Amino acid sequence: MSFPLFVARRYLLARRKQAFISVISLISVLGVALGVASLIVVLGVMNGFSEDLRSKILGVNAHVLVSSVGQGMEDYEGMAGKAAALPGVVGVTPFIYSEVMASTTQGVKGVVLRGIDPATAETVLSLSNSLEQGSLDALASEGGPPRIIVGRELADRLGLRLNSLVNLLSPTGRTSAAGFTPKVGAFRVAGIFKTGLYEYDSSLAYVTMAAAQDLLGFKSDLATGLELKVRDVERADVVADEVREALGGFPLYVRNWKEMNANLFAALKLEKTAMAIILIMIVLVGSFSIITTLVMLVMEKTRDIAILRSMGASAAEIRNIFMLQGSIIGLVGTALGFVLGLAVCFLLKRYQFIELPHGVYSLDRLPVLLSWVDLAAIGVSAFALCFLATLYPARQAARLNPAEALRHE
């Protein structure tokens, strides 16, 4: 063991007369540990919330959306083949998008109607994972009224159950000499889904492409656009550029999920950053406690420092003694904070003992997702703050004049 480390360890484990300094050192360790643990837990929950929200959004929406500026996209099957041939694309499905009015004896509600192809929809969307009742295959059932899948909140609002009938009114369903006239169609409920996002569960409904074309007055070869699933969701913007180049420009326009949800995820990122800044203040308080501990120790050990300097200890060795002492406090506090924070995250993830109000949040339990990047940043920043806190007291101890110190003693 080196001389500075030996003395620093002895000072940390001071007894009897220096017991008060040991108590302050313990408080410093606990301050750093609580700050680090709080950062780990809060950032883990924020990451889990963002990931849960992203998975739910991407379960209902595609990674890349190709739409037409005009009345619709003609020859969508040929364009789907071109998009599917791109290396980053793993699934393509056509869709029809429109707003209609749904009505039952229980009430009337505006609905976002999406026509999908049941044969290819699962290669892009995760609708089956959200189904509470019914199945996606039942959407294409023949005989009787066309089938529809509705959200849980919409079903409760209109009093719908499996096999219930609901009327959909399209304002532009028929074309006549006078222009567009409304058209009403009856649909039988084939499934009820729940994503956990109120916006989707209360206003979204799925029908087949053929049923949507018939209700909206579309031609059989006309669709609103294409939905694409990419291999790497983080490279969706790059794949979108490739799709745009392959399919041509105007009147087609291509958007990716990052663009469509930019405001939401920017707000979440800002909130995560703000929480991290606030909680790092706790670590900063712990580092100030280290300064207090070292300053008091320098004052207490003035005679010891003078004697060590008189015996041949260099200013650098004296400085290293107090820097090591503060660094040990920071290292122990950071390690203890990691143990405490990871333990709390493990308990939250395994036992889910904190319940969230139903209907307020998109989930009923606190999600936890730990990122190694965040953990490394927390560890480095916490230890760096503790190390910086040692510089001033260590510098003052190294500058102590042995003769002056012994004369005053």
Side-chain angles (χ1 to χ4, degrees), residues 145-281:
R147 305 310 195 264
I148 186 173
I149 295 177
V150 298
R152 165 53 61 190
E153 298 293 337
L154 178 61
D156 293 341
R157 169 76 178 274
L158 298 180
L160 297 174
R161 299 292 182 268
L162 278 182
N163 297 318
S164 297
L165 288 176
V166 57
N167 293 320
L168 298 183
L169 182 147
S170 169
T172 59
R174 289 194 182 95
T175 304
S176 62
F180 294 108
T181 57
K183 180 178 181 180
V184 178
F187 290 77
R188 188 175 299 279
V189 176
I192 299 175
F193 67 87
K194 182 179 180 181
T195 64
L197 297 174
Y198 182 81
E199 179 182 357
Y200 296 126
D201 295 341
S202 63
S203 60
L204 189 58
Y206 294 92
V207 297
T208 62
M209 290 283 295
Q213 288 167 341
D214 179 65
L215 178 68
L216 301 173
F218 280 24
K219 298 178 181 179
S220 59
D221 63 343
L222 193 67
T224 302
L226 301 174
E227 294 179 305
L228 282 66
K229 182 178 181 179
V230 301
R231 184 171 288 105
D232 184 0
V233 293
E234 298 300 333
R235 296 187 70 253
D237 50 347
V238 177
V239 177
D241 293 337
E242 296 175 355
V243 171
R244 185 180 296 107
E245 185 177 350
L247 299 184
F250 189 84
L252 299 179
Y253 64 98
V254 183
R255 294 178 295 169
N256 61 78
W257 69 272
K258 295 181 181 179
E259 295 174 337
M260 292 184 286
N261 302 280
N263 293 336
L264 174 61
F265 287 102
L268 289 175
K269 185 177 180 180
L270 179 62
E271 184 177 354
K272 177 182 174 181
T273 303
M275 290 296 295
I277 293 174
I278 293 171
L279 291 173
I280 201 70
M281 296 300 177

